Amino acid sequence: MEAMISVENLIVDFENITACKNVSFQVFPGEIFGLIGPNGAGKTTTLKVLATLLKPTYGIINIGGFDLEKQTIQIRKIIGFMPDFSPVYEEMKVWEFLELYASAYGIEKNKRNKTIDSGLHRVNLVEKKDAFIGELSRGMKQRLVLAKTLLPEPQILFLDEPASGLDPLARKELSEILKNLGNEGKTIIISSHILTELADFCTAAGIMEKGRMIKWGKLENLSDIPADTVCVEFCTSGKSTNLTNILNNYPSLLKFEKETDQLWRIYIKGNDSVIADFVKFLVENNVPIIEIRKVKEDIQTIFFKTGAKDVS
Amino acid sequence: MLVENPLYTAVKRIQTRPLRILSLTIVEVISILIVYFIIWIISSSSELSDSEQFFKHIGRNFAIAMLVGQYIVLVIYGTFSIETRFVRDRISEIINFHRLTPVSPQNLISGYVFGQSSDAIILWCILFVSGIIGVLSGGISFSQYLSSSILVCMCAAFFYLFATWSGLAKPLTLKFGARQTWGFATLLSYIIIGWCGDLSYLSPFPAMWTIIGDGDYFFAPLPTTFVYFFGFSMPTIFYSMLLWITFGFIAFFSSKRKIFSEDSPALSKKEILWLYGALAFIITGRFHGVYTNKLQSIPSLYRVPSIETFLTIGNSFLIFTAFIILLFSIPKRINLRRFFIKLQMKKTIAWNQDDAPSLTLTKFLAMICVAFQIIMDFLITLRISYVQKITIPYADIFLQIVFFSISIFFTIFLIEGFRMRFAKNSDSIPALIIFTWFFVIPFVTLLYVCQKNMKAPYLAVLSPTNFLMPVFLKKFSEETPSFSIIAGFTLLVIATYLSFLFWKNSRKIFEQKLFEIKG
Ligand SMILES: Nc1ncnc2c1ncn2[C@@H]1O[C@H](COP(=O)(O)OP(=O)(O)OP(=O)(O)O)[C@@H](O)[C@H]1O
Ligand SMILES: [Mg+2]
């Protein structure tokens, strides 16, 4: 599949720091790509470069088939960008702000009102239509900027920490909005350092640290557990001495790890249906199990794993 | 069309909320009262016999106060407000949103400029109409009043473009507290400009005074009738317009690129060339004008003791200007890094199979030196066969500036270039080049010049140390003050020592920087 966004060897210098060091990754059409990393990892910088707002020192970047360096105007037509803090005109009213961009994006005069209303509806801000922006709360401003970003219905979205400053309810609404956008086939890059927030709806992710892209890819490929393997963790009540021998007798075993005396992790070849089989095996061998669960590597585990690797 | 310009509509809406207009009006009325009071004090000395004379006088004062009020509102307030808006929108990064819309750069500029100045324009209309009352009293004719008002508008147009450019190009690193200081400094400079030599023509007052007539009013000391330009006496209005149009165009085109992308340089190479050319043309024209008229019948502002002093001052001024302009054209370190990383990444444009970056760099520098030398030789040849026939000094000054500019550019480029890492076995090469270029040539030249009694100081002109010795200007005179030679040698010693230090430390300092990506 053709990549929607491809970044190759992106280098961004600031006065005395290199914020992106040879960052390379690809995002495919319809993906929701989570850009994860601690503060100062270079997420905002990367997104700004992609949004044509920051000139990189170097980088071969292609967005929607256009070359970033030469076809800036074409790229600007297909992207939407939402920065991490929401720039708005405080002295304007909510609808005036949206009208400014509705007409800037060339939405016809007679359709503008409808577009603005549906935009406000989308982010749940209808009742604030006539309020001055200066009087809105931070989360509301953020939602207003999101509405503004979605006005021209861009094919590609760059969202820089969209959920910071939102209350839990708004967060949930946001993730609904994003999921819907994903279903509509839009390609989205969303940056965050709040991992749980991304886990729900990302289909791919990239982990950045200190200006480097440490790891990226589809969520399932990022994990250390191969596709045809099931990882199970179980606890026993008390120490069982010959458990190692018992486990070694299990036919489709790949490997096991003893985390503590009671906690074991085991990798089995096959799909989810082998778990029942495995439980039966344990019970038959009189292993005193008190808890068992399937291990699913989510973004969080992956992130901490990679982070740990980098530090060591 | 402006009405269809979304940015114009939006910004105008903010600017023309009733409360804002009201408070602005109050401030404006107060400042006009002050202006009127000042004018009244200045002009009340004349004897006023009959009441008709008296009303004429009052009317005239009133009309002039209104013109000054127009200037305050439209030029000073409007300019300041436009610049502040740009800086504020850049700091809040909302301008990035505008950049991402399909609205064209020129529409963005016009939206900003007309939208942000809409309150100033409304007030201007009120003032313009009120001023007509003064005209009706007969103290000043309507055509005089109208053309003066038009001049204020023209000047405002120029300053708006300039404010756009400076608002878009100002560094934002200083952010909040410094913003006010910037703004205040800008505001002051717009006011002060009206009293500063040739810069005063960027304010509408000299031209306005040409129109209104006898100058015993507020701005009397300014030259009133015409300026000398290439020996002609050019009407003040035309000269003002020449300045406005030249710089206005440059400001507009620079802003257009700057509003498209924050990262683009404030002035492109082409614009620097234009700006530089325009400046050289205008200043040279003024020199020539002044020189050929033997400084007679020049208004007091420009009366100077002798041609030598005048030329020396002028030369320093030109050199200073050149320096300022060239500051814009210095290749920033980041641009150099950009360039060299490109060389590194795209092997195809590397100049040699052996693409050790330091080697490439050395070759690059060497090539620049050679190119520079060739250009210089060419210029000198040109100068001997053609330019020397023109015996008036301005050609000489002009050439000096060209040389000076190139050498400054080159110096900086070398300094920046020097900050890159050189391979162990090649770091003597650039140092050798630098040393030869800056110190051996000038040194030999100086000796030569001393011997020949300064009749052929052409080579000395190539040296960047030359610009510190304005004495070379006087090469048409026979004497050479020993002072200049001493100064030259001292400079040479200092510079050699500095370059030695520089060379010694360079590797340590610049080891890390330019080619490392993996670090
Ligand atoms: N305009 C700038 N000038 C100088 N340095 C900058 C600039 N913008 C960012 N940086 C530096 O670049 C590095 C990366 O910054 P960036 O904002 O991309 O991080 P981030 O991953 O978005 O962090 P956060 O999670 O805090 O938003 C930081 O070290 C930062 O200090
Ligand atoms: Mg950030």
Side-chain angles (χ1 to χ4, degrees):
Chain A
M1 190 164 42
E2 254 321 89
M4 196 66 162
I5 300 163
S6 95
V7 177
E8 207 179 301
N9 286 328
L10 172 66
I11 301 169
V12 184
D13 287 299
F14 290 116
E15 206 43 54
N16 40 26
I17 188 170
T18 304
C20 292
K21 301 163 188 163
N22 272 334
V23 170
S24 305
F25 64 96
Q26 289 183 329
V27 182
F28 296 92
E31 267 184 352
I32 303 185
F33 188 93
L35 204 54
I36 314 160
N39 292 133
K43 306 181 294 285
T44 303
T45 311
T46 310
L47 285 182
K48 272 199 178 159
V49 169
L50 292 181
T52 72
L53 296 172
L54 186 70
K55 192 178 167 197
T57 308
Y58 184 80
I60 302 169
I61 297 166
N62 198 294
I63 297 176
F66 299 112
D67 183 82
L68 185 90
E69 200 177 333
K70 299 190 188 84
Q71 294 165 302
T72 316
I73 296 176
Q74 286 92 323
I75 290 180
R76 285 179 178 182
K77 279 183 191 149
I78 55 168
I79 60 165
F81 171 64
M82 181 175 163
D84 48 356
F85 62 101
S86 3
V88 282
Y89 285 112
E90 307 268 319
E91 322 91 312
M92 262 186 204
K93 287 178 181 166
V94 169
W95 71 267
E96 290 173 349
F97 185 75
L98 288 180
E99 171 163 64
L100 161 60
Y101 289 101
S103 70
Y105 280 111
I107 294 168
E108 281 163 44
K109 211 164 187 168
N110 47 5
K111 287 187 195 145
R112 260 178 235 164
N113 270 334
K114 234 177 91 192
T115 318
I116 292 171
D117 283 338
S118 71
L120 285 172
H121 187 75
R122 210 174 195 171
V123 296
N124 240 329
L125 219 57
V126 181
E127 69 272 27
K128 290 286 179 190
K129 190 177 173 186
D130 282 312
F132 277 100
I133 296 177
E135 295 162 3
L136 297 185
S137 75
R138 178 159 173 235
M140 287 174 180
K141 280 181 198 162
Q142 204 136 4
R143 281 190 264 165
L144 174 61
V145 172
L146 181 65
K148 178 251 142 202
T149 311
L150 296 176
L151 271 184
E153 299 290 337
Q155 271 315 295
I156 300 172
L157 275 170
F158 302 120
L159 309 176
D160 197 357
E161 284 170 37
S164 65
L166 296 189
D167 58 38
L169 194 68
R171 238 167 241 238
K172 196 152 173 296
E173 279 166 1
L174 178 77
S175 81
E176 287 304 314
I177 295 173
L178 291 180
K179 266 184 217 165
N180 286 340
L181 290 172
N183 291 339
E184 283 168 31
K186 295 191 196 297
T187 310
I188 305 173
I189 299 187
I190 169 169
S191 98
S192 183
H193 39 227
I194 306 169
L195 300 161
T196 45
E197 174 186 302
L198 290 176
D200 304 348
F201 49 81
C202 281
T203 56
I207 297 169
M208 286 190 80
E209 196 178 71
K210 291 183 189 151
R212 285 173 199 292
M213 183 65 85
I214 297 173
K215 208 170 186 188
W216 66 273
K218 287 213 181 304
L219 228 45
E220 58 265 27
N221 299 344
L222 275 179
S223 126
D224 283 343
I225 306 168
D228 58 347
T229 306
V230 175
C231 178
V232 172
E233 255 180 9
F234 65 90
C235 287
T236 55
S237 69
K239 208 166 162 185
S240 42
T241 38
N242 63 344
L243 190 55
T244 322
N245 289 337
I246 297 172
L247 285 178
N248 271 332
N249 284 334
Y250 187 66
S252 48
L253 171 92
L254 287 173
K255 63 170 179 178
F256 61 86
E257 291 157 3
K258 186 178 171 187
E259 311 248 310
T260 64
D261 278 345
Q262 278 120 343
L263 182 64
W264 295 74
R265 176 180 283 215
I266 170 158
Y267 295 83
I268 311 165
K269 198 160 183 68
N271 52 20
D272 288 355
S273 60
V274 301
I275 297 177
D277 186 52
F278 179 64
V279 173
K280 206 168 120 200
F281 171 79
L282 288 179
V283 174
E284 277 169 6
N285 285 288
N286 294 325
V287 180
I289 72 164
I290 51 171
E291 189 185 332
I292 182 160
R293 65 185 172 88
K294 184 187 169 193
V295 177
K296 214 176 110 205
E297 280 209 316
D298 54 2
I299 291 186
Q300 194 147 359
T301 4
I302 298 165
F303 177 66
F304 285 121
K305 265 193 180 169
T306 358
K309 235 179 263 165
D310 193 63
V311 172
S312 60
Chain B
M1 268 308 287
L2 210 53
V3 241
E4 290 155 19
N5 188 331
L7 194 62
Y8 168 73
T9 320
V11 179
K12 184 182 146 217
R13 207 179 263 146
I14 299 177
Q15 288 304 108
T16 53
R17 299 219 197 270
L19 206 65
R20 193 188 170 87
I21 294 281
L22 190 72
S23 56
L24 197 65
T25 313
I26 293 169
V27 174
E28 181 61 18
V29 166
I30 293 171
S31 43
I32 285 175
L33 282 178
I34 295 171
V35 169
Y36 184 78
F37 184 66
I38 295 171
I39 293 177
W40 182 67
I41 290 176
I42 293 175
S43 64
S44 60
S45 59
S46 53
E47 285 151 38
L48 304 164
S49 43
D50 53 86
S51 66
E52 197 193 334
Q53 277 284 327
F54 179 74
F55 278 118
K56 261 190 181 176
H57 187 75
I58 297 272
R60 185 187 163 90
N61 281 355
F62 184 73
I64 287 171
M66 284 305 163
L67 282 173
V68 176
Q70 288 178 27
Y71 179 76
I72 293 173
V73 157
L74 208 59
V75 180
I76 296 179
Y77 167 75
T79 306
F80 185 53
S81 138
I82 287 172
E83 198 180 65
T84 316
R85 166 65 68 193
F86 273 109
V87 174
R88 216 161 50 190
D89 279 9
R90 277 171 70 210
I91 286 177
S92 71
E93 295 198 17
I94 201 168
I95 198 164
N96 281 340
F97 283 166
H98 301 321
R99 290 193 171 109
L100 291 179
T101 62
V103 181
S104 67
Q106 53 267 40
N107 275 349
L108 284 182
I109 291 178
S110 66
Y112 262 120
V113 166
F114 287 105
Q116 186 65 22
S117 61
S118 50
D119 53 346
I121 290 173
I122 290 175
L123 272 187
W124 176 81
C125 291
I126 298 173
L127 289 173
F128 178 75
V129 174
S130 333
I132 293 178
I133 299 169
V135 174
L136 290 180
S137 76
I140 183 173
S141 80
F142 185 69
S143 64
Q144 283 173 325
Y145 181 71
L146 186 67
S147 25
S148 295
S149 300
I150 290 173
L151 274 171
V152 170
C153 294
M154 290 267 321
C155 174
F158 164 70
F159 271 115
Y160 288 180
L161 288 177
F162 199 74
T164 305
W165 177 77
S166 74
L168 284 170
K170 257 181 200 175
L172 289 181
T173 31
L174 298 169
K175 291 208 172 166
F176 303 109
R179 219 166 78 207
Q180 263 73 30
T181 324
W182 262 118
F184 189 64
T186 318
L187 181 64
L188 272 187
S189 62
Y190 292 140
I191 301 172
I192 290 171
I193 230 170
W195 281 272
C196 281
D198 259 33
L199 292 182
S200 69
Y201 296 104
L202 289 175
S203 104
F205 286 109
M208 247 163 79
W209 243 252
T210 317
I211 295 168
I212 296 181
D214 59 301
D216 55 352
Y217 281 100
F218 201 34
F219 296 95
L222 291 173
T224 52
T225 48
F226 54 85
V227 296
Y228 287 108
F229 196 72
F230 281 112
F232 297 105
S233 49
M234 180 190 249
T236 316
I237 303 174
F238 288 159
Y239 188 66
S240 295
M241 299 239 175
L242 182 79
L243 294 184
W244 289 337
I245 291 170
T246 314
F247 294 111
F249 264 111
I250 291 166
F252 177 70
F253 285 110
S254 312
S255 309
K256 231 175 95 174
R257 217 194 33 259
K258 201 79 188 136
I259 208 168
F260 183 72
S261 126
E262 176 89 42
D263 295 303
S264 68
L267 293 168
S268 70
K269 298 217 165 45
K270 216 159 66 186
E271 279 148 11
I272 289 169
L273 218 65
W274 273 109
L275 186 60
Y276 191 60
L279 262 182
F281 176 72
I282 288 167
I283 295 174
T284 315
R286 295 283 288 146
F287 265 119
H288 188 194
V290 172
Y291 181 71
T292 50
N293 284 281
K294 299 280 183 228
L295 297 172
Q296 271 142 35
S297 65
I298 303 286
S300 59
L301 202 64
Y302 293 105
R303 204 177 307 262
V304 282
S306 66
I307 295 222
E308 273 79 18
T309 327
F310 187 80
L311 287 180
T312 312
I313 293 171
N315 191 47
S316 325
F317 174 68
L318 278 186
I319 282 171
F320 181 70
T321 318
F323 185 70
I324 296 289
I325 295 172
L326 278 156
L327 273 181
F328 287 110
S329 61
I330 295 169
K332 286 206 190 101
R333 208 186 81 225
I334 183 156
N335 285 340
L336 281 177
R337 183 170 145 95
R338 200 167 268 156
F339 176 72
F340 284 106
I341 287 180
K342 265 191 189 152
L343 278 187
Q344 227 184 353
M345 291 282 193
K346 294 182 189 158
K347 294 283 195 293
T348 42
I349 42 168
W351 295 9
N352 204 298
Q353 295 291 70
D354 166 23
D355 64 353
S358 52
L359 235 56
T360 312
L361 174 69
T362 315
K363 281 173 199 153
F364 180 64
L365 288 180
M367 278 186 70
I368 289 201
C369 288
V370 172
F372 187 57
Q373 184 79 60
I374 291 171
I375 291 170
M376 284 302 188
D377 287 348
F378 180 69
L379 278 173
I380 290 168
T381 318
L382 198 76
R383 183 179 169 180
I384 287 167
S385 52
Y386 296 103
V387 189
Q388 215 171 24
K389 286 188 192 129
I390 310 165
T391 44
I392 42 173
Y394 76 87
D396 189 47
I397 295 167
F398 187 72
L399 274 182
Q400 259 219 338
I401 294 168
V402 173
F403 291 147
F404 167 78
S405 321
I406 299 173
S407 50
I408 285 283
F409 186 82
F410 187 66
T411 316
I412 310 268
F413 193 90
L414 275 190
I415 290 172
E416 289 286 347
F418 205 23
R419 295 171 70 168
M420 283 171 248
R421 185 165 51 148
F422 300 113
K424 280 197 182 78
N425 55 2
S426 68
D427 59 358
S428 54
I429 300 172
L432 195 69
I433 294 170
I434 293 169
F435 186 73
T436 315
W437 190 260
F438 286 103
F439 306 108
V440 175
I441 293 182
F443 185 70
V444 173
T445 310
L446 255 177
L447 289 181
Y448 176 74
V449 165
C450 291
Q451 253 178 10
K452 295 274 167 161
N453 220 0
M454 291 202 64
K455 283 210 174 92
Y458 304 128
L459 279 174
V461 171
L462 302 187
S463 149
T465 43
N466 158 52
F467 74 93
L468 291 166
M469 290 181 274
V471 66
F472 282 124
L473 252 189
K474 291 189 192 169
K475 72 180 169 47
F476 290 100
S477 69
E478 299 294 66
E479 292 164 41
T480 311
S482 51
F483 162 76
S484 70
I485 294 173
I486 295 168
F489 274 116
T490 319
L491 273 172
L492 221 73
V493 171
I494 295 173
T496 313
Y497 179 64
L498 283 180
S499 73
F500 175 70
L501 283 184
F502 196 44
W503 177 26
K504 231 177 89 182
N505 291 331
S506 62
R507 261 186 46 208
K508 217 187 312 162
I509 301 169
F510 307 120
E511 192 89 334
Q512 333 94 357
K513 288 295 168 193
L514 274 152
F515 294 104
E516 279 171 327
I517 307 159
K518 294 183 188 76

